[in-house]
Amino acid sequence: MNTNSQLPEDAELSALLRESRLAPDLPPGFQDAVWRRIERAEKPAPAWPAADWLDALAAWFLLPRRAFATAAVVLLLGLSLGIARGAGQANELAKARYLDSVSPPALRQ
Amino acid sequence: MRRSLLVLLAMALTGVAIAFGSYLLGCRICAWQLAASGDDLAWLRREFRLGDNEMQRIRHLHEGYLPKCHENCALIAAKKKELQAALDRAQGMTPEALQKLAEVAALRARCQANMLAHFYEVSQAMPPDQGRRYLAEMQRLTLGFHEQIENTMSGDSSSHHGHH
């Protein structure tokens, strides 16, 4: 008896058995989740998570126009702060100078 | 990634250097301006927003006051030397030292009286509001020091006898 050859009745029986097997319902979004996992697995992992934004930041600054603009902003900011502080100090010095001329320190002590 | 880190680090250092350098430059510009003016009355003009006419009157008063002020200061300095010599000679408080002390105090009082008279004159050469502010500020700066010491010594923070 040849066991490999299937009788038509066996084929019908197999079909009936396949239909009778209950397939559980998949959770919603199951297929998307599977694809996402596949994509993640295929993508090469970065050596350090911050590497991407560091590269992006360096590339952003390396454009000459942006680098000069940033330098100019820093320069103006430093100059403004220096002048503001210097003006305060200069005012105090000018005040002391006037006071020393009309009321010598020896008199005030 | 390492190259990016180095680039950002170099940029941050350059930024700090630029900011610090420009900050110092700003301070220096103000100091240069002050040194270039070389005017004792520059503060008055700026602080009390005085015009050219007012400044001219005040400058005239200032130049008239200075020789008297220098003369009084020289007298006080000479009298203080005498007082110091009397104190060095004596073992305690001698009548001579007491006399010198009274003379120094009298000279100081005369000098302060001249100074206050000058402040009144200057305040009258200013617009009324600014004049009042000037007078209050000058009295605080020139007489307030003694009040502070007296209040500290008496343990009283309020000034009950501050008018000498």
Side-chain angles (χ1 to χ4, degrees):
Chain A
M1 197 172 99
N2 187 2
T3 54
N4 287 337
S5 63
Q6 272 191 328
L7 294 170
E9 293 84 4
D10 291 342
E12 282 174 22
L13 184 64
S14 296
L16 272 172
L17 283 171
R18 266 200 301 275
E19 282 172 18
S20 68
R21 216 176 274 154
L22 289 173
D25 288 337
L26 295 173
F30 176 80
Q31 210 164 358
D32 288 343
V34 170
W35 278 114
R36 269 200 299 274
R37 283 185 69 179
I38 292 167
E39 279 169 9
R40 220 173 13 232
E42 284 176 351
K43 199 175 167 182
W48 187 39
D52 286 347
W53 68 260
L54 267 181
D55 287 341
L57 198 64
W60 195 89
F61 273 120
L62 274 176
L63 286 180
R65 195 185 294 174
R66 284 176 187 157
F68 279 119
T70 310
V73 167
V74 170
L75 183 83
L76 282 177
L77 204 68
L79 210 57
S80 309
L81 283 174
I83 286 173
R85 185 167 163 75
Q89 285 176 339
N91 193 50
E92 285 303 312
L93 283 173
K95 185 178 180 178
R97 188 177 190 160
Y98 173 70
L99 210 59
D100 284 351
S101 73
V102 291
S103 168
L107 196 64
R108 281 179 268 146
Q109 287 167 10
Chain B
M1 195 280 287
R2 192 174 170 182
R3 184 175 157 272
S4 301
L5 199 64
L6 286 174
V7 165
L8 287 172
L9 205 64
M11 285 183 142
L13 287 174
T14 310
V16 168
I18 290 173
F20 189 65
S22 55
Y23 174 81
L24 288 182
L25 185 68
C27 286
R28 194 59 63 89
I29 286 170
C30 286
W32 282 334
Q33 269 190 331
L34 179 72
S37 80
D39 184 6
D40 288 345
L41 304 183
W43 175 72
L44 276 189
R45 181 192 282 274
R46 200 167 43 239
E47 180 69 24
F48 299 98
R49 295 185 282 279
L50 302 174
D52 286 343
N53 289 338
E54 289 151 345
M55 280 307 294
Q56 204 175 350
R57 283 204 300 273
I58 289 170
R59 196 173 298 283
H60 180 72
L61 291 170
H62 186 72
E63 283 165 4
Y65 165 74
L66 284 184
K68 284 187 272 180
C69 179
H70 291 158
E71 189 186 333
N72 281 333
C73 286
L75 285 174
I76 292 172
K79 198 58 75 179
K80 276 172 76 178
K81 272 187 188 168
E82 289 176 21
L83 170 65
Q84 191 60 55
L87 289 172
D88 289 345
R89 274 195 304 272
Q91 294 299 315
M93 200 63 191
T94 59
E96 188 201 2
L98 202 61
Q99 172 67 24
K100 297 292 174 196
L101 203 59
E103 285 172 6
V104 170
L107 280 173
R108 274 193 170 144
R110 196 172 87 186
C111 189
Q112 281 187 327
N114 280 341
M115 193 173 66
L116 284 173
H118 172 67
F119 292 158
Y120 278 112
E121 282 179 336
V122 170
S123 73
Q124 280 163 7
M126 292 182 177
D129 285 354
Q130 302 293 1
R132 275 194 291 276
R133 196 161 70 86
Y134 165 81
L135 205 54
E137 181 73 354
M138 286 300 109
Q139 285 177 356
R140 185 183 69 81
L141 290 172
T142 55
L143 303 178
F145 184 81
H146 295 280
E147 279 182 20
Q148 204 178 349
I149 292 175
E150 285 154 10
N151 289 338
T152 310
M153 298 293 278
S154 68
D156 183 10
S157 59
S158 62
S159 165
H160 296 302
H161 65 293
H163 306 288
H164 297 282

